[in-house]
Amino acid sequence: MVGEELVGLTPEMIEASQAGMKAIGAAIAVGSTGLASAAAEMAIGSAAVGATAENKDVFGLVLLLTVIPETIVIFGLVVALLLIF
Amino acid sequence: MLSPEQMSRVLIAAPKDVMEPVISELHRQRLFHIEDFVENDEEEYAGYRIGVPLEGAKEISKDLLRLRSVTGAFSLRAEDLDPSGKIRKSQLTAQIEQELPGIEMEVEELLSRRTELENHVKELEQKIEALTPFSEMRADLALLHGYRTLAVFAGYLSKKVDIGVPCEEYYSESKKGNFLVAVVPVEYRQEVERKLLDAQFQTVPVPDESGPAKERISVYNVQIETDRKDLEEIATQLDALKSQYSEFLIACDELLSIDAQKAEVPLRFATTDHAFIADGWVPSHTLSSLTDGINAVSGGRAFVAKLPIQKERDVVPVEYDNINFAKPTQFLMDIYSRPKYTELDPTLIVAIVFPIFFGLILGDVGYGALLLVASFGLRKLLKGSDGKMLLDIMRNASISSIFFGILFSEIFGFKLPWAPILPSRHLNIGGEGGHGPAIPELMIMCVWIGIIHITAGRILGILNHARRAQGGAFDIEEASEHHGNQRSHHVRAMLANLGWIMVMWGILVMIWSAFPMPLMPDLTGFAPLVMGLTLPLIIGILLVVPGVVFIFRESALELVELPTILSHVLSYARLVGVGVSSVAIAMVINFITIGLIIEPQLENLTIFGAIIIAVGVIVWIIGQILNTILGMIGGGLQSLRLQYVEFFTKFYKGGGKKYSPFGEIRRFTED
């Protein structure tokens, strides 16, 4: 069955579709981790701005807290770059 | 370098009759950071009270308040003004007495006239608003009020209704709604009200005016017009006054603020009936000049003593001590937090590393040159020391960007005539760019940068604790068993930092022994020694295990943080990620504008084609400017984040108190 379906494909087409799959995989890796980071940073960020407005000295600390979830998207980016190149 | 300015605690005691000259001298020298005296019940403070302001403080404050109302009206700020010269204090004092009241009166008069006119205009506008619904009705408005036997209805309704009682009515339809004015005998009032209610009637109050509404509106409009002209006149008068007196007013403000500061500073001193004591800090190397100055003005009647620093109780104010190159970076340090007195001050390291990271992200000769020009061009707009520091940081960063642009062979996303010296970041967009970027090499390069940066952070952590174990920057011996405890704590902390380095490098060696990677040592070829373990693997394990033990000894909770070794090192991949995305945007802009818009038109040029080419050029310019701004924000913030999060968390706490000496830099006046 599977063999029959592949009959019409040339090696170039298979290669191209593999490249496409890789690109989709990379897109999912960056996109979904980006959304996850954004969702996490949304709440922290708004609280951080509030805290900074109350007391400017906590800026360094709240910046740290805000960027902690950024690690997620960095991992996604690493995976995506390694997938494509 | 790498540590803050050394401070000395100083106590100044003197009889009250030399208080004024001593205060003036302290203000002039601008070295003495005052510790506020707080009245308390402790034995050593018995008999001391907070001082009272010098004579004339009240008058100065009053004058200053009046002056500030004028400068406030002009929205004058000293930072926006460049002094043309300094006015002598005596001359200015005379001028303040003669000229200032006149100016103040003139400005106040203009301001009150302005408020009056503005209120009048508002009133008229409200009247016009009330009249507008009636504007299409020709009848005299006087006919609509003042009846005993008639009821007047005016308002909007959804559809025309038949009132069904004897009445006079006016009805009009417009976009705003259907407007109805009806005058009915009083006895039908309730009946009409009910009917109108069904048609969703919204009452509009009948204005208390006479004559047709349209006429009244135009009368009011004429009045508003005259008021507006008067307001403009006042604005030009105020502007004229502002440009004529702004420097004088700012100079007055400076003089009076300084006088007020001096007059109120005894509130921070401890006093007895006949003497006062000022407690505070000075940078140690300036101590002698402070002492000499005070002795000179008090005729030797003041007593200046250096006190030992008590580590447990004293919070030492912190002043940076950096070479000129690193000074602008203090701005970035203060955003995070000023170092504590006992801490290493990493300003110099940040001053070197921040531009390098910025250049690695935005490595493009074109963008670097644009930012360099901007950092000089903006100097006219951004005044004040913070703005200047920021522009200096931007200048250093853009020079680094040009340097890395040469290494990456990039200018506005195009290639320079040579091959990239660092791994290529050129993408394969629109069939150009060859093999695409050398992502694995770039990644490994960034991982190396991360490893070195983090190791440096940990080494600084060891040095920090070593300093503190020896008593830190304090120039006194602490003799207590507490000290011994502290010492062993610091030793544990030093070992923990070493443990983190060992774990990181151990994991690295283990990875090297398992996978060959570009730009990294290949340790895969070793034969197994014991139990199938190769030599590098054994070395890795020998580094990781004691490392974990060191970390555990300081705090078991820290072990939870072990995965951050991986995430922090990989975090440096943002140098590639953000950098390549910036290159990608530049190349897409180039491809769309040049490849798709401009080049096809050049093949056979027509007038229409020339217009399209012009559009293409404009799109290119806008796109590149946008990408420059994006690159600056991205490069700046990401580079800063790597300092704050990945680097500082390894050794830096911050939270030092800012050294703010009593006194002010005089810009417009002199004694």
Side-chain angles (χ1 to χ4, degrees):
Chain A
M1 276 272 289
V2 178
E4 275 170 36
E5 275 176 25
L6 284 175
V7 167
L9 296 175
T10 61
E12 289 80 32
M13 289 166 81
I14 292 170
E15 215 168 83
S17 82
Q18 277 175 347
M21 284 299 186
K22 268 189 185 174
I24 290 173
I28 292 173
V30 171
S32 54
T33 49
L35 285 175
S37 296
E41 273 181 31
M42 178 176 65
I44 307 172
S46 57
V49 171
T52 320
E54 292 266 331
N55 177 6
K56 254 180 87 178
D57 297 341
V58 298
F59 176 81
L61 179 71
V62 295
L63 183 79
L64 282 188
L65 296 176
T66 311
V67 298
I68 283 173
E70 224 174 81
T71 321
I72 312 170
V73 76
I74 295 290
F75 285 156
L77 182 76
V78 171
V79 169
L81 288 176
L82 291 177
L83 265 180
I84 293 184
F85 299 102
Chain B
M1 265 191 297
L2 290 189
S3 57
E5 186 97 54
Q6 201 177 2
M7 298 300 234
S8 297
R9 178 145 206 174
V10 172
L11 199 71
I12 301 169
K16 265 186 175 167
D17 53 339
V18 293
M19 181 135 93
E20 222 176 311
V22 167
I23 290 173
S24 287
E25 177 65 13
L26 288 177
H27 193 280
R28 191 187 67 76
Q29 289 208 1
R30 215 175 150 263
L31 290 172
F32 192 61
H33 175 107
I34 301 173
E35 280 282 324
D36 291 1
F37 170 70
V38 187
E39 274 181 31
N40 58 25
D41 298 331
E42 275 175 49
E43 204 178 329
E44 49 184 316
Y45 289 103
Y48 289 105
R49 289 176 309 276
I50 289 177
V52 288
L54 296 179
E55 262 174 56
K58 234 182 188 170
E59 287 70 38
I60 294 170
S61 300
K62 257 189 216 158
D63 285 351
L64 195 57
L65 201 66
R66 284 220 316 276
L67 180 69
R68 291 266 164 90
S69 78
V70 176
T71 51
F74 287 156
S75 50
L76 272 179
R77 291 190 319 172
E79 301 96 272
D80 302 337
L81 229 64
D82 287 319
S84 58
K86 288 186 175 177
I87 312 177
R88 293 195 69 81
K89 188 181 172 182
S90 49
Q91 190 190 342
L92 192 61
T93 319
Q95 266 180 311
I96 286 178
E97 274 168 26
Q98 288 163 9
E99 291 180 31
L100 197 55
I103 299 171
E104 276 170 1
M105 222 152 77
E106 205 173 332
V107 172
E108 260 164 43
E109 223 165 74
L110 285 173
L111 286 180
S112 68
R113 176 104 185 89
R114 186 169 78 178
T115 328
E116 213 173 275
L117 283 172
E118 278 169 353
N119 286 342
H120 192 225
V121 167
K122 222 170 266 165
E123 213 174 281
L124 292 175
E125 278 171 348
Q126 276 167 2
K127 278 187 180 167
I128 290 176
E129 205 178 318
L131 282 167
T132 315
F134 300 88
S135 59
E136 293 303 318
M137 208 175 73
R138 292 217 189 88
D140 190 333
L141 288 171
L143 296 175
L144 292 184
H145 46 78
Y147 298 112
R148 244 180 300 160
T149 52
L150 295 173
V152 179
F153 292 93
Y156 290 101
L157 32 67
S158 59
K159 58 179 196 288
K160 190 173 164 74
V161 282
D162 183 20
I163 294 175
V165 296
C167 68
E168 278 292 330
E169 65 173 343
Y170 162 83
Y171 180 78
S172 77
E173 284 181 9
S174 73
K175 270 185 206 155
K176 274 201 219 155
N178 311 322
F179 188 63
L180 172 83
V181 179
V183 183
V184 295
V186 143
E187 55 266 35
Y188 297 114
R189 177 198 283 267
Q190 279 182 353
E191 197 180 323
V192 174
E193 262 174 8
R194 222 173 301 127
K195 269 193 181 146
L196 289 177
L197 205 64
D198 290 340
Q200 284 138 21
F201 183 70
Q202 289 171 310
T203 314
V204 171
V206 178
D208 188 12
E209 308 250 4
S210 56
K214 214 168 195 170
E215 224 169 73
R216 297 304 308 157
I217 290 177
S218 59
V219 168
Y220 290 145
N221 270 330
V222 171
Q223 285 183 14
I224 288 180
E225 211 45 45
T226 10
D227 283 354
R228 290 243 160 92
K229 261 191 204 129
D230 287 352
L231 277 170
E232 267 171 43
E233 175 67 22
I234 288 173
T236 35
Q237 280 179 12
L238 279 172
D239 273 346
L241 282 175
K242 179 180 172 178
S243 56
Q244 190 184 348
Y245 292 116
S246 58
E247 195 168 338
F248 170 66
L249 289 172
I250 290 293
C252 291
D253 189 307
E254 188 176 287
L255 184 80
L256 288 175
S257 322
I258 289 172
D259 282 350
Q261 274 174 23
K262 284 186 193 168
E264 276 163 15
V265 78
L267 289 169
R268 308 171 70 184
F269 293 165
T271 56
T272 61
D273 289 343
H274 301 292
F276 74 95
I277 293 175
D279 185 2
W281 302 88
V282 290
S284 299
H285 67 92
T286 60
L287 182 59
S288 59
S289 73
L290 183 89
T291 317
D292 294 347
I294 288 175
N295 278 334
V297 292
S298 66
R301 293 171 64 211
F303 171 71
V304 183
K306 187 180 159 192
L307 297 185
I309 300 175
Q310 289 171 306
K311 197 175 170 185
E312 284 79 31
R313 221 187 57 193
D314 291 346
V315 183
V316 188
V318 175
E319 172 67 341
Y320 293 105
D321 180 21
N322 282 308
I323 52 170
N324 279 337
F325 164 72
K327 272 189 179 138
T329 314
Q330 288 163 197
F331 176 73
L332 297 182
M333 296 299 302
D334 276 342
I335 290 180
Y336 187 84
S337 187
R338 198 169 268 239
K340 275 208 183 77
Y341 186 60
T342 45
E343 234 175 349
L344 283 169
D345 168 18
T347 312
L348 181 65
I349 300 171
V350 176
I352 296 168
V353 177
F354 174 81
I356 293 180
F357 284 1
F358 186 91
L360 274 169
I361 292 173
L362 192 75
D364 188 297
V365 177
Y367 295 152
L370 270 184
L371 291 180
L372 189 61
V373 171
S375 75
F376 284 105
L378 287 174
R379 252 156 236 266
K380 290 228 166 62
L381 291 176
L382 271 179
K383 285 179 180 157
S385 62
D386 280 0
K388 209 179 148 293
M389 280 166 138
L390 195 62
L391 289 176
D392 282 344
I393 295 168
M394 190 167 145
R395 179 199 61 207
N396 293 351
S398 47
I399 290 171
S400 157
S401 182
I402 293 174
F403 174 73
F404 279 97
I406 292 168
L407 295 186
F408 280 127
S409 176
E410 281 170 26
I411 179 163
F412 292 120
F414 297 110
K415 264 186 191 161
L416 284 166
W418 53 84
I421 297 159
L422 289 172
S424 164
R425 301 199 299 178
H426 292 277
L427 287 106
N428 194 350
I429 289 175
E432 283 180 36
H435 303 295
I439 289 294
E441 285 83 359
L442 283 169
M443 289 280 237
I444 305 276
M445 187 178 85
C446 290
V447 167
W448 267 121
I449 292 170
I451 292 167
I452 294 165
H453 203 215
I454 289 173
T455 309
R458 288 286 174 204
I459 291 173
L460 287 175
I462 296 175
L463 293 179
N464 235 343
H465 284 289
R467 258 162 68 102
R468 278 193 226 168
Q470 287 169 357
F474 296 106
D475 48 357
I476 44 127
E477 270 306 312
E478 310 149 83
S480 61
E481 75 268 32
H482 187 68
H483 184 52
N485 263 337
Q486 285 265 315
R487 205 183 168 89
S488 70
H489 162 73
H490 285 306
V491 171
R492 269 206 304 277
M494 281 159 71
L495 282 177
N497 272 312
L498 182 70
W500 282 104
I501 297 178
M502 286 163 69
V503 173
M504 185 170 77
W505 283 90
I507 292 176
L508 266 178
V509 174
M510 279 151 83
I511 293 175
W512 290 338
S513 71
F515 311 101
M517 275 186 284
L519 298 178
M520 288 218 169
D522 182 5
L523 304 178
T524 49
F526 288 83
L529 279 181
V530 237
M531 294 191 300
L533 300 175
T534 60
L535 179 67
L537 204 55
I538 293 169
I539 294 175
I541 291 168
L542 285 181
L543 281 170
V544 171
V545 173
V548 171
V549 172
F550 286 152
I551 298 168
F552 179 81
R553 271 180 37 134
E554 202 217 354
S555 156
L557 269 180
E558 288 273 296
L559 290 181
V560 183
E561 297 275 307
L562 276 176
T564 60
I565 291 182
L566 190 68
S567 67
H568 278 189
V569 171
L570 279 184
S571 185
Y572 287 78
R574 72 187 64 230
L575 293 177
V576 193
V578 181
V580 171
S581 65
S582 160
V583 180
I585 295 173
M587 292 183 74
V588 168
I589 294 166
N590 292 343
F591 178 62
I592 290 176
T593 53
I594 297 170
L596 299 182
I597 300 179
I598 297 175
E599 268 180 1
Q601 299 302 326
L602 285 177
E603 278 167 16
N604 70 60
L605 201 58
T606 58
I607 296 176
F608 183 63
I611 296 171
I612 291 183
I613 289 173
V615 171
V617 171
I618 292 169
V619 173
W620 187 84
I621 291 172
I622 293 173
Q624 294 292 2
I625 288 174
L626 272 181
N627 198 27
T628 315
I629 295 168
L630 271 181
M632 183 180 69
I633 295 170
L637 283 184
Q638 301 296 343
S639 169
L640 203 57
R641 174 227 143 95
L642 287 176
Q643 315 289 337
Y644 286 170
V645 182
E646 273 74 20
F647 190 50
F648 282 2
T649 46
K650 308 293 182 288
F651 66 99
Y652 188 71
K653 295 276 183 303
K657 188 166 77 171
K658 191 177 172 194
Y659 165 70
S660 53
F662 171 62
E664 206 167 295
I665 301 170
R666 288 164 176 261
R667 291 177 61 218
F668 296 88
T669 58
E670 62 188 2
D671 271 327

